[in-house]
């Protein structure tokens, strides 16, 4: 019996040592690629948040290797967020709109007139996060703006590839727009909103609904550091912020490929620009080009890279890359001209900054009114950290307050 216990202790020590070593090796691979500029909001706190994310990823990779679960499954569990308690100022209801799970946030204070509403699509690279993970943002918007918020729990990749998330967001939006009065909402005062991947979905849904004569016209679209194209991941912001958390350049490509294909096997092709044929790149150069980005955003450095040749196999894999429902920045002018008033939030230290800047220019060039909020010390996903306990980021709250101000002014 004593031998059995000794053997058990030895095995436990070996497993613990192996587990620790695997984590250390993972951290050694991830951390050297990270750069946190001194100009970001709370750089020390950002290091802590990023370290937690890297540690989560490291544990997930180990669990995947030993067959417990996939890294994505484990990371989803960690990032999914926990259900919060009741909200004194809001009624919360979990429902289904068009077969899609949603959470409704209704202000408790009676209103003499129908309220405005915001349909919210959460971020998370199309593969992470949930209604619960963005519950704090939705509560804040509903509480501070006095409007109804509908948060949509769309299907996630890689299990559900493009266009599943887009279709869920569209179907839930249409259901709500057709039944808005049942929830005390003015059908003419409905906006769509989303952060990161959710901003992509909000832009795509807005474009689709812009041409619908059978539905009320959207009042506005609110795009929070949106990812709007995958044609060129070598724009100035992708170079300058390639190693800035919480979204590294390589992860941006990884997320886009998981959504499009359900795997990231061609990540290097996307990063090198060898996934788009020259004629396609030339066609969209009028919209996706560093020439359309103000010079002040190139001050931190920009070195145009030579694109590589594309093979027929790669081209076939990326035939859908130019679909506006996937890359809203590539929509035709006739569609852009029909879009509602827009709010775009960008962050200086974010790889997706230039996607937002390019879309802002496209909207303004086509006569669409744009309110632009640029967080000079912001980084990707900062709004989600506005009340992150002792690690809160004031710039995130400033961004949220600007969104609330915009909604109240509609």
């Amino acid at each position: 019996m004593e031998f059995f216990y000794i053997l058990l202790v030895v095995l436990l020590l070996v497993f613990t040592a192996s587990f620790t070593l695997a984590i250390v090796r993972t951290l050694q691979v991830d951390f050297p690629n990270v750069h946190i500029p001194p100009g970001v909001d709370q750089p020390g706190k950002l290091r802590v948040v990023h370290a937690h994310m890297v540690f989560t990823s490291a544990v997930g990779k180990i669990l995947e290797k030993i067959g417990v679960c996939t890294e994505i499954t484990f990371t989803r569990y960690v990032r999914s967020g926990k259900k919060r308690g009741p909200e004194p100022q809001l009624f919360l209801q979990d429902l289904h709109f068009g077969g899609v799970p949603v959470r409704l946030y209704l202000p408790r204070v009676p209103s003499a007139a129908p309220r405005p509403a915001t349909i919210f699509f959460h971020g998370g690279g199309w593969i992470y996060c949930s209604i619960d993970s963005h519950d704090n943002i939705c509560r804040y918007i509903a509480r501070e703006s006095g409007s109804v918020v509908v948060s949509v729990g769309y299907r996630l990749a890689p299990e559900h590839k493009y266009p599943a998330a887009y279709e869920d967001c569209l179907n839930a939006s249409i259901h709500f727009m057709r039944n808005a009065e049942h929830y005390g909402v003015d059908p003419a005062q409905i906006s769509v909103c989303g952060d990161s991947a959710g901003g992509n979905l909000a832009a795509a849904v807005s474009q689709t609904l812009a041409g619908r004569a059978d539905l009320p016209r959207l009042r506005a679209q609110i795009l929070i550091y949106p990812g709007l194209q995958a044609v060129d991941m070598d724009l100035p912001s992708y170079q300058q912020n390639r190693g800035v958390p919480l979204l590294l350049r390589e992860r941006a490509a990884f997320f886009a490929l998981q959504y499009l294909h359900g795997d990231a096997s061609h990540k290097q092709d996307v990063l090198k620009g060898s996934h788009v044929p020259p004629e396609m790149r030339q066609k969209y150069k009028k919209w996706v080009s560093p020439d359309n980005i103000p010079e002040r955003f190139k001050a931190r450095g920009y070195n145009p890279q030579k694109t590589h040749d594309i093979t027929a196999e790669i081209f076939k894999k990326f035939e859908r890359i130019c679909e506006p429902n996937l890359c809203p920045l590539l929509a035709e002018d006739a569609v852009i001209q029909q879009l509602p008033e827009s709010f775009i939030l960008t962050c200086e230290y974010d790889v997706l900054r230039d996607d937002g800047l390019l879309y802002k220019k496209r909207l303004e060039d086509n006569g669409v009114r744009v309110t632009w909020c640029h967080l000079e010390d912001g980084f990707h996903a900062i709004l989600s950290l506005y009340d992150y306990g002792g690690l809160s980021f004031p710039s995130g709250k400033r961004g949220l307050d600007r969104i609330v101000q915009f909604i109240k002014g509609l």
Side-chain angles (χ1 to χ4, degrees):
M1 182 66 82
E2 184 178 346
F3 173 77
F4 172 77
Y5 283 121
I6 293 174
L7 180 61
L8 185 62
V9 170
V10 170
L11 290 174
L12 184 60
L13 289 173
V14 170
F15 176 78
T16 302
S18 300
F19 190 78
T20 303
L21 181 60
I23 289 179
V24 170
R25 285 177 175 171
T26 303
L27 298 180
Q28 288 174 337
V29 170
D30 288 345
F31 272 109
N33 297 322
V34 172
H35 169 63
I36 298 181
V40 300
D41 184 23
Q42 313 286 321
K45 292 181 179 179
L46 179 56
R47 289 183 190 279
V48 174
V49 175
H50 176 248
H52 177 262
M53 290 181 61
V54 173
F55 181 80
T56 299
S57 176
V59 174
K61 288 175 181 176
I62 293 168
L63 294 176
E64 183 169 315
K65 284 182 179 178
I66 63 178
V68 175
C69 65
T70 66
E71 177 192 352
I72 289 177
T73 300
F74 179 73
T75 306
R76 277 181 189 163
Y77 171 75
V78 174
R79 294 193 191 180
S80 62
K82 61 181 181 180
K83 283 187 177 293
R84 299 182 173 214
E87 173 67 47
Q89 299 179 46
L90 302 171
F91 290 110
L92 273 63
Q93 286 183 280
D94 288 337
L95 305 168
H96 282 79
F97 285 173
V100 181
V102 302
R103 180 170 296 163
L104 203 62
Y105 300 79
L106 298 159
R108 291 180 182 270
V109 177
S111 176
R115 297 181 184 275
T118 302
I119 305 172
F120 185 86
F121 311 128
H122 67 79
W126 299 281
I127 68 175
Y128 295 133
C129 298
S130 63
I131 289 176
D132 287 333
S133 68
H134 284 62
D135 183 67
N136 61 335
I137 291 179
C138 292
R139 289 189 187 212
Y140 190 92
I141 293 174
R143 186 174 61 242
E144 300 300 321
S145 69
S147 63
V148 173
V149 173
V150 179
S151 183
V152 179
Y154 56 85
R155 288 171 292 170
L156 299 176
E159 297 91 336
H160 306 284
K161 295 180 288 187
Y162 168 78
Y166 158 76
E167 290 174 343
D168 284 356
C169 292
L170 179 63
N171 291 335
S173 299
I174 291 173
H175 177 96
F176 180 68
M177 294 173 78
R178 285 176 172 164
N179 297 276
E181 294 175 348
H182 177 73
Y183 300 100
V185 168
D186 181 352
Q189 290 291 319
I190 298 175
S191 304
V192 291
C193 174
D195 69 312
S196 191
N200 167 281
L201 295 167
V205 167
S206 184
Q207 290 180 3
T208 301
L209 294 178
R212 293 285 295 263
D214 59 324
L215 292 169
R217 176 177 168 79
L218 284 175
R219 180 63 184 85
Q221 61 172 347
I222 302 167
L223 312 180
I224 306 166
Y225 30 76
L228 300 170
Q229 59 86 32
V231 171
D232 187 352
M233 289 196 170
D234 206 40
L235 293 167
S237 64
Y238 285 85
Q239 289 188 13
Q240 296 164 4
N241 304 310
R242 63 191 307 133
V244 180
L246 295 172
L247 182 64
L248 278 60
R249 178 172 175 261
E250 287 200 6
R251 294 299 285 176
F254 172 84
F255 289 139
L257 287 170
Q258 290 287 357
Y259 181 41
L260 177 60
H261 294 150
D263 71 77
S265 56
H266 292 287
K267 183 175 68 174
Q268 291 306 317
D269 293 302
V270 173
L271 293 173
K272 291 187 298 184
S274 59
H275 65 303
V276 177
E279 58 271 20
M280 183 183 293
R281 188 177 298 276
Q282 188 62 35
K283 175 183 178 180
Y284 293 116
K285 189 176 181 179
K286 57 184 176 181
W287 299 329
V288 186
S289 169
D291 296 338
N292 295 340
I293 297 168
E295 288 301 314
R296 76 181 181 95
F297 291 104
K298 303 171 189 175
R300 289 196 291 120
Y302 173 60
N303 181 28
Q305 300 295 307
K306 181 181 178 181
T307 57
H308 295 70
D309 293 335
I310 181 172
T311 66
E313 176 196 357
I314 297 297
F315 174 67
K316 187 166 183 62
K317 290 279 290 185
F318 286 91
E319 282 181 318
R320 305 188 73 180
I321 201 74
C322 58
E323 293 182 12
N325 292 339
L326 177 65
C327 297
L329 185 57
L330 307 184
E332 295 295 330
D333 285 341
V335 174
I336 302 293
Q337 290 163 7
Q338 299 182 68
L339 292 175
E341 183 176 351
S342 304
F343 178 99
I344 297 179
L345 184 144
T346 55
C347 293
E348 178 60 29
Y349 300 103
D350 178 11
V351 292
L352 301 184
R353 180 197 69 197
D354 291 350
D355 285 28
L357 294 179
L358 291 172
Y359 204 50
K360 171 181 176 290
K361 175 175 170 50
R362 287 218 60 201
L363 291 167
E364 291 174 337
D365 287 349
N366 282 278
V368 178
R369 182 179 178 183
V370 179
T371 298
W372 175 46
C373 172
H374 184 64
L375 301 180
E376 294 286 354
D377 59 353
F379 54 85
H380 194 78
I382 193 170
L383 267 65
S384 297
L385 304 175
Y386 87 92
D387 69 342
Y388 204 63
L391 297 175
S392 297
F393 293 80
S395 190
K397 187 175 184 301
R398 287 199 300 272
L400 266 179
D401 287 338
R402 287 291 303 275
I403 292 169
V404 168
Q405 180 185 0
F406 174 77
I407 292 172
K408 293 173 74 172
L410 291 173

